[in-house]
Amino acid sequence: MKWLTALLLVLLCMLQYRLWFGKHSIPDYVAMEKEVQDLRKQNANLKQRNELLQADINDLKIGLEAIEERARNELGLIKRGETFYRILPSEQ
């Protein structure tokens, strides 16, 4: 009976050691959960970015207004007959 108790106690200690310090232990699980949460946040940000890019692509495919807007904002282009005014901020 004494040997059986000692054997079961040693077995319990081995299992507890493996649970807390071994491969695939509880700390490993917690670290993986945190990594999964971080990756989910990153994926949500990338998904939002992809949706914005897809909306830009659809705008560019549909009409010339989006192309004209991009040309004005990014390249500084103006139409014929328009007057371009540049407003500089004050030096204060």
Side-chain angles (χ1 to χ4, degrees), residues 9-89:
L9 186 60
V10 168
L11 185 61
L12 178 66
C13 289
M14 288 173 53
L15 289 174
Q16 285 294 315
Y17 178 83
R18 186 167 178 210
L19 177 67
W20 291 101
F21 304 109
K23 188 175 180 183
H24 306 297
S25 62
I26 290 178
D28 289 344
Y29 173 76
V30 171
M32 285 291 191
E33 281 293 319
K34 185 181 181 318
E35 187 176 341
V36 166
Q37 288 177 355
D38 292 342
L39 289 174
R40 282 187 178 148
K41 286 179 187 176
Q42 186 179 9
N43 283 344
N45 291 338
L46 291 173
K47 184 177 180 183
Q48 183 180 11
R49 181 177 151 246
N50 285 345
E51 289 172 357
L52 290 173
L53 290 173
Q54 189 62 44
D56 282 347
I57 290 170
N58 290 338
D59 286 344
L60 291 173
K61 284 182 179 179
I62 290 174
L64 297 175
E65 293 172 0
I67 295 172
E68 181 180 331
E69 179 183 349
R70 284 194 107 152
R72 287 175 177 270
N73 290 335
E74 294 177 9
L75 303 174
L77 298 178
I78 57 173
K79 289 182 179 179
R80 287 190 182 142
E82 286 183 335
T83 305
F84 177 73
Y85 294 98
R86 184 174 181 182
I87 300 173
L88 299 174

